[in-house]
Amino acid sequence: MDRLKQIEAFVLAATRGSLSAAARVEGVTPAIIGRRLDALETRLGVKLLLRTTRKLTITFEGQAFLEDCQKTLNDLANAEAAVSLGSVRASGQLRVSAPSGFGRQHVAPLVGDFMLANPEVRVNLNLSDRLVDLVNENIDCAIRIGELTDSSLVSVRLGEMRRMVVASPAYLVAHGVPREPVDLSGHNCLSLGQQRGWLFRDPASGEVHTLKVNGTFECNDGAVLREWALAGRGLAWRSLWEVGQDLKEGRLTSVLDAWQAPPMGIYAVFPQRRHLPLRVRLFIDLLKETYSRPSYWELR
């Protein structure tokens, strides 16, 4: 019990930003939260939070530990809910948000499967590329790809996604195949809006760097970039979920594979809460089971 209290104190302090805020949630004094954090750091032998009179700063080790702790607490809550719910069936309205393109291809089809298995649930799927406010917009669960910026939300890693540089075979025949990222300076690169650049990892050193690319085509819609790449207009840096079928059927070819950046995480995020509704838990379980299978992406 003491260990659980220490972990809960750490998660609350890290996500709420102060000992006082964590103490208000727990209904104790800030001093008690501080003692629990001290005991946890002493037991682990590592500093998790840097504390001053004005703010808390999470350390690198603390950030890594935070994600594991959030998952552990969520799994524990789910286990307790499963026991207490018994044979109760999922019901009510499930409000889900997802990025537009990804949601159309990889969330909407699973909603149909989910509703067949849970006929008493009503699903409202909101597809948008903006960062929705889950609390104020009453969203139960949001699907997000890449780095998570809001530490106040609970997250569950569903899978991972690679990004790669692709072009049509006709383009590569006409303009040549780039062998290293620096070769992209001689190619027409299709840019996504105000994208800062394309990420690459040096196969020798493992260092990840951003390369600013240039080209005559730019659009803020990834689906358009895919169409331009298929038409032989240039090279595009796209996610496997978007171009996997094109690669499989030979309409596009990937290049610079040895320089691919580390994969991005696919996450389900939801507001901090002690009791996750059964309908949300079951939907997240379905996404995780689906996205964690490499065969799912290969088939697409």
Side-chain angles (χ1 to χ4, degrees):
M1 181 60 70
D2 289 341
R3 290 190 174 190
L4 182 59
K5 285 293 185 183
Q6 292 167 10
I7 290 175
E8 288 178 335
F10 165 65
V11 171
L12 282 173
T15 56
R16 301 285 174 163
S18 71
L19 300 187
S20 298
R24 284 193 295 270
V25 175
E26 285 289 277
V28 298
T29 65
I32 291 177
I33 297 294
R35 286 198 292 271
R36 291 175 182 174
L37 290 174
D38 289 338
L40 177 62
E41 291 176 335
T42 299
R43 180 162 58 83
L44 298 178
V46 65
K47 198 69 175 174
L48 301 173
L49 294 169
L50 300 177
R51 286 173 269 169
T52 68
T53 55
R54 293 188 176 183
K55 67 175 183 177
L56 291 178
T57 302
I58 191 166
T59 65
F60 177 80
E61 292 79 8
Q63 186 63 55
F65 189 54
L66 175 62
E67 184 175 332
D68 290 336
C69 287
Q70 288 176 315
K71 182 180 184 304
T72 297
L73 293 177
N74 181 59
D75 289 344
L76 178 60
N78 288 341
E80 292 177 342
V83 171
S84 63
L85 286 169
S87 60
V88 174
R89 300 174 64 180
S91 61
Q93 185 175 56
L94 172 64
R95 294 176 57 86
V96 180
S97 173
S100 297
F102 185 86
R104 280 192 295 270
Q105 294 188 44
H106 300 289
V107 180
L110 295 178
V111 167
D113 296 339
F114 177 77
M115 294 184 71
L116 285 175
N118 301 276
E120 296 180 20
V121 177
R122 305 184 310 277
V123 177
N124 182 317
L125 179 60
N126 174 20
L127 300 182
S128 174
D129 290 324
R130 68 181 178 85
L131 196 64
V132 299
D133 186 327
L134 273 64
V135 175
N136 291 328
E137 298 182 46
N138 196 28
I139 300 294
D140 294 305
C141 171
I143 311 305
R144 293 181 179 169
I145 302 175
E147 182 180 356
L148 299 179
T149 57
D150 190 345
S151 62
S152 68
L153 299 175
V154 179
S155 65
V156 174
R157 191 179 181 95
L158 304 174
E160 59 183 30
M161 180 53 52
R162 290 181 291 139
R163 302 192 79 174
M164 55 196 65
V165 180
V166 298
S168 69
Y171 175 88
L172 296 175
V173 169
H175 301 278
V177 178
R179 303 299 177 185
E180 296 183 3
V182 293
D183 297 337
L184 294 177
S185 61
H187 286 268
N188 196 36
C189 296
L190 310 174
S191 299
L192 180 66
Q194 300 300 314
Q195 196 174 53
R196 291 177 298 176
W198 297 0
L199 290 179
F200 295 99
R201 177 166 57 185
D202 190 310
S205 66
E207 181 181 353
V208 178
H209 62 277
T210 302
L211 180 67
K212 187 67 176 178
V213 297
N214 296 294
T216 57
F217 289 81
E218 181 179 304
C219 184
N220 65 347
D221 189 323
V224 172
L225 297 185
R226 170 182 169 270
E227 292 297 331
W228 283 344
L230 289 169
R233 306 300 184 189
L235 293 158
W237 188 49
R238 309 307 306 146
S239 295
L240 180 61
W241 67 259
E242 187 178 10
V243 298
Q245 193 68 24
D246 299 318
L247 292 169
K248 180 181 178 181
E249 298 180 3
R251 292 187 294 269
L252 292 175
T253 300
S254 64
V255 299
L256 301 175
D257 289 348
W259 295 78
Q260 281 183 20
M264 301 178 297
I266 305 173
Y267 298 91
V269 299
F270 42 94
Q272 183 95 20
R273 61 180 67 174
R274 291 186 179 272
H275 305 294
L276 197 63
L278 180 60
R279 59 185 179 274
V280 180
R281 178 167 58 84
L282 292 178
F283 186 68
I284 291 174
D285 288 345
L286 173 62
L287 297 181
K288 185 173 183 179
E289 191 276 331
T290 302
Y291 297 160
S292 63
R293 298 198 313 264
S295 60
Y296 171 80
W297 305 108
E298 291 170 3
L299 289 173
R300 282 162 165 71

